[in-house]
Amino acid sequence: MDIKSYKKLFYYLLAFLGIFLFLVFNLLEFELLSEEGKIDNLSDAIWYSIVTLTTVGYGDMVPTSAGGRAIGYILILLSLGVYGLLIGQISSIMANIKENKKMGMYGTDFQDHIVVIGWTQFGKTVIDQLIKAGRKVAIVTKNRETIDLLKELYQDKNLFILYSDYENFELLEKVNIKKSSTVFINLNDDTEKLVYILNLKKEYEGLNFTVTLENSNLKQTFLSAGVTHAISQNEIASRLLASYMFEPDVALFSEEILTYPTNDEEYDMKEFKVLEGNPYNGQEYDKAFFDLKKNENVILLGLVRIDEGNRIVYKNPSNNYKIKTDDYLIMLMNQKTQKKIKKIFELEEGI
């Protein structure tokens, strides 16, 4: 309920209390004037009024005067209005709670999740992959109709939806944006995306941003603005298309490993962090490569090391390169093998 609704309810209750007390005091006055009256004090008058108003009607005391009985009739009739008001207000409160929850007004406690600003058909394909991979996703949309569509498409506990104007940065607290792993700016225009990112950076420091670009020439501009990943949709599509033309098998394989596998036999590239107790921690890359292939049927493709805050990818490094704690191993495996790797590495894939 909003402030106006609460004020309205308060005034209703205040008016009802005034009428109730007026009737109680008049009832007591009428009964005190009656020789046969049993309601001879304020406590009894209040008791009779309440049990009558609530339709309990114990019958332990009743008015004997004409005026008292008239007030009794009024209380009986008022009881219908009281129940109607209570039922109406409770229904209204429940409907508001349900609607606010649907709109995301109560927020989420997601952490290390992906926040998606805006909803487009392209964004749907991205979110499909994230949901399949078991990632937590919070979507911010300003289109009311989109919410019903999203609820129907993704009946998943890992999805949170917030209905909000994109410029309402304060409301973005409800998607726990400060604790997100990355913010995917999924607006329609490159210029709109850049302006939005610059404004959002003023409100929230330290966020990681991912954008897709219509104009690949703007990639360096976005990176200079602090965007973590700027990807050109056309560039990726054109490379894959060219690959289909002269090496179709490679293109098919590339497309398969870029999408989340749907069965145990499909392959995918995975990235797992090396914890301190990992059996491959401290091993030379070459030995880890052969051990993973022999024991787990996994192909080690490279590793990522964080140096002064920068993520450096080493593709198939030299044999004497040693794996360290907090490195990320990039591996090719099928869905069936991934379950075994999760147990060995003692964590989920991804950063």
Side-chain angles (χ1 to χ4, degrees):
M1 294 175 67
D2 55 21
I3 298 297
K4 289 184 178 179
S5 299
Y6 280 116
K7 284 185 176 179
K8 189 177 180 180
L9 179 60
F10 173 74
Y11 291 139
Y12 278 145
L13 292 174
L14 197 63
F16 171 76
L17 181 61
I19 294 170
F20 177 76
L21 291 175
F22 173 79
L23 293 173
V24 166
F25 282 109
N26 277 275
L27 170 68
L28 179 61
E29 185 175 349
F30 285 129
E31 289 302 293
L32 288 174
L33 295 173
S34 173
E35 294 181 358
E36 298 176 357
K38 295 182 179 179
I39 302 173
D40 55 4
N41 58 67
L42 183 60
S43 175
D44 287 345
I46 292 174
W47 170 256
Y48 167 77
S49 298
I50 290 175
V51 296
T52 303
L53 194 62
T54 57
T55 69
V56 175
Y58 288 113
D60 52 345
M61 56 182 68
V62 293
T64 57
S65 65
R69 288 181 180 277
I71 290 175
Y73 289 130
I74 293 172
L75 289 170
I76 292 170
L77 293 173
L78 272 178
S79 68
L80 301 176
V82 169
Y83 278 112
L85 178 64
L86 286 174
I87 292 170
Q89 288 300 322
I90 290 172
S91 299
S92 177
I93 290 170
M94 295 301 293
N96 277 316
I97 290 173
K98 185 177 180 180
E99 184 68 9
N100 286 337
K101 184 177 181 181
K102 186 177 182 180
M103 300 296 174
M105 293 298 109
Y106 299 122
T108 180
D109 58 358
F110 282 179
Q111 294 187 20
D112 297 323
H113 56 300
I114 294 93
V115 174
V116 180
I117 308 291
W119 170 260
T120 63
Q121 193 58 36
F122 174 76
K124 177 185 178 301
T125 61
V126 177
I127 294 165
D128 284 346
Q129 294 297 311
L130 293 171
I131 294 295
K132 286 178 183 176
R135 299 300 171 206
K136 293 179 179 179
V137 181
I139 302 173
V140 182
T141 177
K142 63 178 180 180
N143 187 342
R144 174 65 180 80
E145 295 176 357
T146 300
I147 296 175
D148 294 324
L149 175 63
L150 289 169
K151 293 284 186 183
E152 185 178 342
L153 285 173
Y154 308 109
Q155 298 176 4
D156 198 286
K157 63 180 180 180
N158 288 335
L159 182 74
F160 175 79
I161 305 166
L162 174 66
Y163 175 61
S164 170
D165 181 69
Y166 301 144
E167 303 300 326
N168 191 343
F169 297 131
E170 186 176 344
L171 204 57
L172 291 182
E173 293 280 356
K174 295 189 180 296
V175 297
N176 209 12
I177 194 169
K178 292 179 181 178
K179 299 291 183 67
S180 64
S181 62
T182 189
V183 181
F184 174 37
I185 308 300
N186 187 37
L187 304 179
N188 292 315
D189 179 74
D190 286 349
T191 304
E192 185 183 6
K193 293 173 186 175
L194 182 59
V195 172
Y196 187 82
I197 288 168
L198 293 174
N199 289 332
L200 192 57
K201 283 172 68 69
K202 294 177 184 177
E203 299 292 328
Y204 300 101
E205 296 180 357
L207 295 179
N208 294 317
F209 293 98
T210 300
V211 295
T212 54
L213 304 175
E214 297 291 334
N215 186 352
S216 59
N217 295 326
L218 293 175
K219 183 173 182 177
Q220 192 55 49
T221 302
F222 275 82
L223 293 176
S224 300
V227 172
T228 313
H229 303 291
I231 304 105
S232 170
Q233 298 179 45
N234 294 332
E235 187 177 357
I236 294 173
S238 60
R239 288 180 180 179
L240 190 59
L241 180 59
S243 184
Y244 267 110
M245 292 177 183
F246 70 92
E247 46 184 14
D249 299 315
V250 173
L252 280 169
F253 186 71
S254 299
E255 189 173 354
E256 179 182 329
I257 64 175
L258 282 173
T259 58
Y260 192 79
T262 57
N263 60 64
D264 284 349
E265 302 307 319
E266 288 187 356
Y267 277 80
D268 189 16
M269 278 196 292
K270 305 291 184 183
E271 183 175 2
F272 281 87
K273 187 176 182 179
V274 177
L275 303 179
E276 190 172 347
N278 191 294
Y280 297 101
N281 187 16
Q283 274 196 21
E284 290 185 354
Y285 182 89
D286 185 51
K287 185 177 187 309
F289 178 93
F290 286 106
D291 286 351
L292 281 165
K293 175 58 182 171
K294 180 181 177 181
N295 300 327
E296 314 300 340
N297 194 27
V298 170
I299 300 175
L300 184 58
L301 301 173
L303 64 81
V304 179
R305 181 160 294 168
I306 301 174
D307 186 12
E308 296 181 356
N310 297 315
R311 302 180 68 85
I312 304 172
V313 180
Y314 295 93
K315 304 167 188 174
N316 196 28
S318 59
N319 295 342
N320 57 0
Y321 206 90
K322 283 196 174 182
I323 298 169
K324 297 181 179 179
T325 303
D326 295 333
D327 283 349
Y328 289 84
L329 298 187
I330 301 174
M331 298 170 282
L332 183 65
M333 67 187 77
N334 60 24
Q335 186 80 340
K336 185 177 181 180
T337 306
Q338 182 188 349
K339 297 172 184 176
K340 296 170 63 179
I341 292 296
K342 281 183 181 179
K343 291 182 179 179
I344 294 171
F345 281 69
E346 297 182 346
L347 78 174
E348 294 288 330
E349 62 163 316
I351 59 173

